[in-house]
Amino acid sequence: MEFEEEILEPVSPTGHYLNSSVLSLSILGVLESEIPIDDSQTLSLLRDLFLPINSRFSSIMVGEKNGVKKWKKVEVNLTEHVKVPVLPDGMSLEYYDDSLSNYLSKLSMDLLPQTRPLWEVHIFKYPTSDAAGTIIFKLHHALGDGYSLMGALLSCLKRMDNPSIPLTFPSRQSDSSSKLPQGNGVSSILKRVTAIPSAVTNTIWDFGSSLLKSSIIKDVESPIRSGRDGVEFQPMAMATMEFSLDHIKNIKNKLKVSINDVIGGVILLGSRLYMEGESKNSGNLDTNSLVLFNTRNLDGYKSVDEMVKPKSTMPWGNNFTFLQVPVPKLNSAHLSNPLKYVYETQNTVKRRRNSGGVFLTSVMLDYLTKFRGPEVTSKYIRNTLINTSITITNLIGPVEQMSLSDHPVKGLYSFVVNAPQSAEVTVMSYMGKLRLGIGVEKDFINPHKFKSCISKAFDMISEAAAAVP
């Protein structure tokens, strides 16, 4: 065949998993413009800025006889990748709000064609309550994870106040609690030795429970998990909400936890409040979340040139793992002290990150791919998703306002779509705010009630944190 005569780039194992016959995930990145969108330069910007970022944006996946896939460079017809919906002019903001919501919902169902590079740009040129216009990037997850794709997107954007100065990002403080006990002399040695049995026990437990939850044990049906077959092909209803990053930092400092611990506790408490509100006592059902973690040693985004270098410390691609985190039940103790959601989430995530369960799972997936093929591994990952109730992902955005071709970017958020789950929440920081992208199975979960419950959870945790001495 023609592609066998060319020099082709191998698709990574994770790329195989995320684009298979049983699993095909995409990311929607949404940019809100402060001014009406002039799309006259779209094709030239894509040709001159976007395509050169990475060869994958000009390639398709092709398969060989042994089932191994490779990236094949092709000629890109940019007009096939740009969509501009046409709606009646002069309608109300509410009309365009609904139209954008329905448009995003349709995008959540559609799979990207495999016969052309796995990305699209959708330009919604109508004003909404949040923006004068909206640009939607739909990118297949096989192209890279959120870190890679955000880095690619940022390479097309400039700092609004001074385009010659690089964008900056919130600092990431190292978590000393994630390391073995530090110190000097005999006491330090004893702490390290006594930590070993606990680490071994945690590793065995975490790996075993992860294996069972990805294969046999599944969450029961609940108000946030329909359990329907083919849920990834159902339309999603989407909503967003914002929190002040400074407010969350105040809670973080008061509780001596991380920002992720705070927002994770808020989302999980909000999920329980929604469940209980929809069905009495469902707040006490066994429910699990998947919390996605980047496995790079992050310190802000690197340039795309840095990402694609051999042996880069911040490589391009999919470098993430899921941690299965039980959702604390909505009992009287948690209601009287909602901070338990923050602390229990923190403790579970910290323990599982520090055990060897994640490493053993990675080794198992490698062997599964080697001996049974990537499709079997992809099915295992799909089961990991479908057996749990909600996924939470997090991305760090810049502190300063950005612009895209002289269009000031007012807001920034994202969704993961085509996942076999009824609910997912994506968290993204930008300009001193955290924006939550809430994606739920349409006609099963009410996104506005879900959003209201998360807001209530935030108020409960804020009030409880304020009372901490």
Side-chain angles (χ1 to χ4, degrees):
M1 297 177 67
E2 179 184 353
F3 65 80
E4 293 176 332
E5 300 173 356
E6 302 173 5
I7 299 176
L8 304 177
E9 178 188 355
V11 174
S12 68
T14 312
H16 277 87
Y17 310 154
L18 299 178
N19 187 26
S20 69
S21 63
V22 296
L23 188 65
S24 183
L25 302 182
S26 293
I27 298 173
L28 299 183
V30 184
L31 278 72
E32 296 172 335
S33 175
E34 277 192 353
I35 63 175
I37 295 174
D38 175 8
D39 61 346
S40 61
Q41 301 297 314
T42 300
L43 296 184
S44 60
L45 288 171
L46 290 173
R47 182 181 61 251
D48 299 334
L49 287 180
F50 183 72
L51 291 185
I53 290 172
N54 194 295
S55 60
R56 296 183 190 181
F57 296 145
S58 303
S59 301
I60 61 173
M61 271 192 189
V62 293
E64 296 185 331
K65 294 179 182 178
N66 59 3
V68 174
K69 294 181 180 179
K70 294 186 176 181
W71 293 105
K72 175 188 175 183
K73 190 87 169 177
V74 296
E75 190 71 29
V76 182
N77 182 351
L78 290 173
T79 57
E80 293 181 339
H81 293 263
V82 179
K83 315 291 182 181
V84 184
V86 178
L87 301 173
D89 290 325
M91 305 299 286
S92 66
L93 292 181
E94 290 77 11
Y95 175 85
Y96 294 127
D97 286 344
D98 290 341
S99 297
L100 177 59
S101 177
N102 292 333
Y103 194 81
L104 288 169
S105 180
K106 183 177 184 304
L107 281 182
S108 74
M109 287 191 297
D110 296 340
L111 295 177
L112 289 164
Q114 298 288 318
T115 55
R116 63 182 188 232
L118 298 171
W119 60 271
E120 292 176 347
V121 176
H122 299 257
I123 304 175
F124 191 88
K125 299 174 68 174
Y126 302 94
T128 64
S129 299
D130 295 318
T134 308
I135 302 172
I136 307 156
F137 288 83
K138 183 170 185 176
L139 305 135
H140 200 287
H141 220 316
L143 296 170
D145 56 19
Y147 176 87
S148 297
L149 298 177
M150 176 59 69
L153 185 61
L154 292 176
S155 69
C156 300
L157 297 163
K158 301 294 183 182
R159 184 164 160 167
M160 185 67 193
D161 58 352
N162 191 336
S164 63
I165 300 177
L167 292 160
T168 56
F169 299 85
S171 61
R172 296 175 60 94
Q173 297 177 347
S174 62
D175 184 0
S176 59
S177 60
S178 67
K179 303 173 184 178
L180 285 172
Q182 301 296 308
N184 297 312
V186 176
S187 62
S188 175
I189 295 173
L190 288 175
K191 288 179 181 178
R192 289 171 180 268
V193 170
T194 55
I196 291 173
S198 176
V200 172
T201 301
N202 289 341
T203 294
I204 295 172
W205 173 261
D206 292 341
F207 176 68
S209 63
S210 175
L211 186 62
L212 290 173
K213 290 177 182 178
S214 296
S215 53
I216 300 173
I217 302 174
K218 62 175 67 176
D219 284 5
V220 297
E221 295 179 10
S222 74
I224 63 169
R225 183 179 182 272
S226 70
R228 297 173 182 170
D229 290 333
V231 66
E232 61 264 52
F233 304 115
Q234 299 296 318
M236 290 179 71
M238 301 180 183
T240 69
M241 58 191 307
E242 283 186 348
F243 297 111
S244 164
L245 193 55
D246 285 340
H247 191 163
I248 294 176
K249 286 179 179 178
N250 288 336
I251 298 174
K252 171 188 82 78
N253 294 334
K254 208 69 177 304
L255 304 183
K256 296 180 174 55
V257 297
S258 71
I259 289 176
N260 285 342
D261 295 331
V262 175
I263 199 65
V266 167
I267 293 169
L268 296 185
L269 173 55
S271 300
R272 283 299 194 191
L273 293 173
Y274 177 84
M275 292 171 67
E276 187 66 21
E278 293 296 296
S279 178
K280 189 173 178 59
N281 295 324
S282 64
N284 288 314
L285 294 174
D286 289 331
T287 303
N288 290 275
S289 64
L290 284 180
V291 180
L292 186 146
F293 280 98
N294 198 305
T295 56
R296 303 172 181 87
N297 182 22
L298 291 177
D299 185 21
Y301 292 95
K302 297 295 183 183
S303 69
V304 174
D305 290 340
E306 287 291 326
M307 287 189 204
V308 299
K309 284 182 179 178
K311 299 181 180 179
S312 171
T313 58
M314 307 279 190
W316 180 281
N318 284 285
N319 295 271
F320 64 88
T321 188
F322 287 114
L323 295 185
Q324 293 163 322
V325 178
V327 182
K329 295 183 178 181
L330 195 67
N331 53 39
S332 57
H334 287 110
L335 283 175
S336 62
N337 183 12
L339 298 183
K340 287 181 178 290
Y341 272 84
V342 177
Y343 291 132
E344 288 190 23
T345 300
Q346 178 203 37
N347 291 335
T348 302
V349 170
K350 184 192 301 182
R351 183 179 62 76
R352 296 197 172 187
R353 288 188 73 176
N354 294 338
S355 81
V358 172
F359 171 74
L360 290 180
T361 300
S362 177
V363 171
M364 183 201 69
L365 293 178
D366 289 342
Y367 275 100
L368 193 61
T369 301
K370 181 178 179 180
F371 293 109
R372 300 196 62 188
E375 287 285 323
V376 174
T377 310
S378 185
K379 185 176 180 180
Y380 177 89
I381 293 173
R382 182 182 185 274
N383 285 342
T384 302
L385 289 162
I386 203 169
N387 287 358
T388 50
S389 297
I390 184 171
T391 291
I392 303 172
T393 65
N394 176 41
L395 285 173
I396 297 176
V399 173
E400 303 89 8
Q401 185 172 25
M402 306 177 293
S403 68
L404 176 62
S405 185
D406 298 325
H407 289 70
V409 177
K410 179 182 179 184
L412 179 65
Y413 58 96
S414 66
F415 302 98
V416 177
V417 297
N418 305 125
Q421 287 182 306
S422 295
E424 61 96 12
V425 180
T426 299
V427 184
M428 182 174 288
S429 66
Y430 177 55
M431 288 189 359
K433 297 179 180 178
L434 281 186
R435 187 80 170 265
L436 270 58
I438 300 168
V440 297
E441 185 180 349
K442 199 171 184 178
D443 302 325
F444 179 72
I445 298 176
N446 185 316
H448 303 295
K449 284 186 180 179
F450 195 87
K451 175 178 170 179
S452 177
C453 289
I454 291 179
S455 180
K456 181 180 179 181
F458 184 76
D459 291 340
M460 291 170 64
I461 289 175
S462 295
E463 183 177 350
V468 173

